[in-house]
Amino acid sequence: GCTVKNDTAFVTVDVRAALALNLKQDTTLCRGRSTSLTAIPAGGLNTGYTISWNQGLGNGTNQNVTPTATTIYRAVLSDGCTVKNDTQLVTVNVRQPLNITSNNDTTICFGNPVTLKSNSTGGNGLYQYRWEDVSNPSTALGTNATLNLNPSSSQTVRVILSDGCTVKNDTATIKITVLPNLSITTSPDTSICAGELATLRVKAAGGNGSYNYTWTDLSDTTPAGTTAGIAVSPAGTRSYRISVTDGCTVTQPQRNIQVQVVAMPMASLFIPNTTACDPGIFSIKNTSTSTNRLRLNNRRYSGNDTALKFNTGNYNLKLSAFNSLGCVDTVNYTLIVNPRPKAGFSFNPAAPRELQPVSFTDQSSGATSWIWNLPNGFFNVQQPSIWVSNDTGTWIAQQVVGNSF
């Protein structure tokens, strides 16, 4: 307020630029992959920069992260000078893990195909497939989302899903059980006698156990039965075919069984006469047919012509004829041996003289008829008349007797 000229002084205050932090843009990772986060600071007091990260990363310009899920990272820039720190956020998106599902464990019949399908999610969608047999993983069975198989035995199949990005592949395992092939065993070829029944049987194994049986008479292709066992009685030798199915197995086993029909034996004897007088001698001639062996009265009989001798009485003659299968035919004959009468007589006197009467006395047995041949003629009586010799010499008297047989 006194000095005419005032004095002036100047001071310059430099204000640094506000803190500014530059982070990379949001990014997307496949599960298991890593990325680097870089923070570029600007403004403020550069000698005092401090970049602090959340998620437990600590401080620093660069951070390497491997998140397992989508994560937001926050970086805070400070310099110990600027009042207002700068904060920036970056989002690291993490794709879902790979996930693959396929068919449930399955059971198929022998010879049938099976289609395995997969359903995939997660990852980047650029899916790659590898199907392999667990017991032999070195060989790939297929590389598509679907696999067609025609296994001949049970196996376990694994499908591996990858996408060229996700670190950890995903797998699915399918157990395929192949039922044993359908098979059959049958009763052997058989032989029967004509008129008998033959039982044919089949036993099935494998497949699904639900068996259907079809028997066919091959002589005329007519159906013969639909059960596991049938009884047949063909008139002649025939073959029968059995086919078994289960409605599932591709193969249909078949077998043929032959039933040979052997003619029944016929027992027969030719006996000219079945009645004789004691001693009865009977001529026997075998006229049996279709025989393999013979028994006569339960004794082995060669079949040669023969003669049988019996005393008085009635006799049963039994002939049994057998064929090669042991089937038998039997015939019975009754042989009758009648008693033979016995002639006999006496005369009196024992030493007759000329013109002396001679009487004859019948002493026969079992006789019902008599013929006397005497010097004086033939007589058909039991007791002849008295004979008188009218000359000397030797005379013959004869008696012939018979009975009712």
Side-chain angles (χ1 to χ4, degrees):
C2 178
T3 305
V4 174
K5 186 178 179 180
N6 296 330
D7 190 27
T8 302
F10 296 90
V11 61
T12 300
V13 179
D14 293 324
V15 179
R16 294 184 175 94
L19 289 174
L21 191 61
N22 183 25
L23 290 181
K24 68 183 292 184
Q25 294 180 344
D26 294 345
T27 188
T28 299
L29 296 179
C30 290
R31 178 68 69 94
R33 296 294 178 179
S34 300
T35 187
S36 179
L37 303 179
T38 301
I40 302 174
L45 180 62
N46 59 8
T47 58
Y49 288 157
T50 298
I51 302 174
S52 301
W53 298 83
N54 67 347
Q55 302 295 339
L57 297 179
N59 300 330
T61 303
N62 296 304
Q63 299 290 341
N64 193 55
V65 296
T66 310
T68 58
T70 296
T71 304
I72 299 175
Y73 294 93
R74 182 179 67 246
V76 179
L77 174 63
S78 63
D79 61 0
C81 175
T82 306
V83 173
K84 185 178 181 180
N85 298 334
D86 189 31
T87 300
Q88 296 293 326
L89 301 175
V90 61
T91 300
V92 179
N93 297 294
V94 179
R95 293 188 174 96
Q96 291 297 313
L98 289 174
N99 179 266
I100 186 169
T101 57
S102 187
N103 303 55
N104 294 328
D105 293 344
T106 186
T107 298
I108 62 174
C109 291
F110 187 88
N112 284 354
V114 61
T115 298
L116 304 181
K117 298 179 180 180
S118 63
N119 181 37
S120 304
T121 60
N124 62 10
L126 302 176
Y127 298 136
Q128 301 169 19
Y129 303 90
R130 176 184 170 85
W131 298 83
E132 59 189 26
D133 188 331
V134 170
S135 65
N136 182 24
S138 61
T139 302
L141 301 176
T143 57
N144 296 319
T146 299
L147 177 67
N148 294 315
L149 288 177
N150 195 344
S152 59
S153 60
S154 298
Q155 65 182 131
T156 300
V157 176
R158 177 171 54 225
V159 58
I160 302 172
L161 175 66
S162 62
D163 62 359
C165 177
T166 305
V167 172
K168 185 179 180 181
N169 298 333
D170 193 35
T171 62
T173 302
I174 308 98
K175 183 178 180 181
I176 303 171
T177 301
V178 180
L179 296 176
N181 195 11
L182 189 58
S183 63
I184 59 174
T185 55
T186 64
S187 52
D189 293 345
T190 188
S191 298
I192 61 172
C193 294
E196 289 186 332
L197 286 173
T199 300
L200 311 182
R201 294 185 176 89
V202 62
K203 183 178 181 180
N208 62 13
S210 181
Y211 304 128
N212 302 306
Y213 306 95
T214 302
W215 294 87
T216 304
D217 184 341
L218 294 182
S219 64
D220 52 13
T221 68
T222 57
T226 56
T227 58
I230 62 171
V232 296
S233 182
T237 297
R238 292 188 180 183
S239 291
Y240 297 84
R241 174 169 295 165
I242 174 61
S243 301
V244 178
T245 62
D246 62 359
C248 179
T249 306
V250 173
T251 56
Q252 178 178 314
Q254 297 179 338
R255 295 287 187 278
N256 293 343
I257 305 175
Q258 185 185 69
V259 178
Q260 181 183 19
V261 178
V262 179
M264 278 292 293
M266 180 176 291
S268 176
L269 292 174
F270 174 68
I271 307 175
N273 294 297
T274 58
T275 301
C277 291
D278 191 5
I281 298 176
F282 301 91
S283 176
I284 304 296
K285 181 179 180 64
N286 175 43
T287 54
S288 303
T289 59
S290 302
T291 61
N292 180 261
R293 58 189 175 92
L294 298 166
R295 293 187 71 82
L296 189 61
N297 281 1
N298 296 321
R299 294 184 179 183
R300 191 168 184 84
Y301 172 44
S302 66
N304 296 330
D305 294 352
T306 187
L308 301 178
K309 183 178 180 180
F310 298 101
N311 295 324
T312 298
N314 292 350
Y315 300 90
N316 182 59
L317 194 62
K318 177 182 176 181
L319 177 68
S320 298
F322 302 83
N323 63 10
S324 58
L325 299 181
C327 297
V328 61
D329 181 46
T330 300
V331 64
N332 291 281
Y333 299 88
T334 299
L335 303 181
I336 300 174
V337 180
N338 294 313
R340 187 182 294 274
K342 184 176 181 181
F345 65 91
S346 62
F347 59 92
N348 185 50
R353 297 186 300 274
E354 181 179 3
L355 299 178
Q356 183 178 8
V358 178
S359 64
F360 296 90
T361 302
D362 174 45
Q363 294 181 342
S364 66
S365 61
T368 58
S369 65
W370 299 263
I371 299 177
W372 296 84
N373 180 12
L374 300 178
N376 60 337
F378 289 92
F379 303 92
N380 293 325
V381 294
Q382 181 178 4
Q383 193 64 48
S385 60
I386 295 175
W387 170 67
V388 178
S389 173
N390 56 9
D391 198 357
T392 61
T394 300
W395 306 91
I396 295 176
Q398 183 184 44
Q399 182 190 49
V400 178
V401 296
N403 58 22
S404 60
F405 304 113

